Amino acid sequence: MQVPFLDLKKLNAQYADELKAAAARVIDSGWYILGEEVSAFEREFADYCGTKYCIGVANGLDALTLTLRAWKELGLIADGDEVIVPANTYIASVLAITENNLKPVFVEPSEVTFNLDTTNIEAALTARTKVILPVHLYGLISPMDEIKALADEHGLLVLEDCAQSHGAAIDGKPAGTWGDAGAFSFYPGKNLGALGDGGVITTSDTKLFEVLSALRNYGSEAKYKNKYTGVNSRLDEIQAAMLRVKLNHLNTEIEKRREVAHAYSRGITNSLIMKPTWQLDESHVFHLFVVRVRERDAFQQYLAEHGVQTVVHYPIPPHKQEGYKQYNHLNLPITEEIHRSVVSLPISSAMSEAEIDHVMKMVNSFRN
């Protein structure tokens, strides 16, 4: 049996008729940029998250970058200010910081959750710290009640990186509503994935909303009047229409992923495999099911030989990337061990029982 890591064709086939009807609706409308589909999706996603506003942009990286840029325009942060970021995140979180001439402060994550905790954040605070950027990695929301309390105590802004956590929540309060803003990605492989690139920023801050709405559209508040030197970063009508369809199915998608995760959690018994830890179902939406294995290369090769495709998220931490040579000297042992040992197993709403069983059987038979 062959089990792909993620079969997007099979996943989207579940909604094919609705997606095709949505595409036809956009084609027939004759309006393809910042039209009714984008406006409707922005309203619907804001309602889903529980924020006043949602601003559609071209991708998740732009969602992060433009939010930091908007805070600079509002005079809340300035060049050289420090942004606390988990050291084990995907590089996009860091790119958004450096693109704005801000300084990333790499903080070790919890070995158990892979997310930031307040103890390590507090140790990293300086007089130049202005923003905390928690990343809800793999679909598990960070301890936002504690992080927000710490931020309020020190007068810090909070930008949630929600690229992997659509629908995750703590006590019913979703990701993207805890901080001053939340940045989401709709890359096709996400739990809420477009059929191309896309992203949004969620916030209840009216001033931030107004600046972001202009920045994404050439810095223009009114046509041909450019208040800022903005960019062209707009969620397009086709992708918004696709996302409106898939948003209606997001909670079902999450529940199916949780079912796979629970099956893995119960059924994987190999003592060589460290399984993920979480406390409440609502806190984890399982964009990824990530295990840790000391013999990662051998483990991946073994699974591949037995038809199970795996992926490493991510093999090299940002501070060890060639593009960030100025940080290559940093010693972050927890982060580096995580990046040496993590492996993502197949997980999606389109997996069959036979595929789930095959993955567990092969994982359990490694070195046994």
Side-chain angles (χ1 to χ4, degrees), residues 291-350:
V291 299
R292 289 178 62 185
V293 189
R294 291 199 179 277
E295 296 180 80
R296 182 171 68 192
D297 291 347
F299 179 67
Q300 284 195 284
Q301 182 178 346
Y302 178 81
L303 291 186
E305 289 170 353
H306 291 83
V308 177
Q309 184 183 26
T310 59
V311 176
V312 175
H313 297 92
Y314 305 95
I316 305 172
H319 72 282
K320 294 299 185 183
Q321 294 287 352
E322 187 176 354
Y324 282 121
K325 286 190 177 74
Q326 67 271 41
Y327 299 115
N328 286 177
H329 68 282
L330 293 177
N331 179 33
L332 297 164
I334 294 173
T335 292
E336 289 159 24
E337 178 56 30
I338 286 170
H339 283 261
R340 280 193 295 267
S341 59
V342 290
V343 182
S344 300
L345 301 180
I347 186 167
S348 88
S349 64

Side-chain angles (χ1 to χ4, degrees), residues 61 65 90-100 324:
L61 173 56
T65 304
Y90 181 56
I91 200 168
S93 311
V94 185
L95 290 171
I97 297 168
T98 57
E99 179 66 19
N100 280 287
Y324 282 121

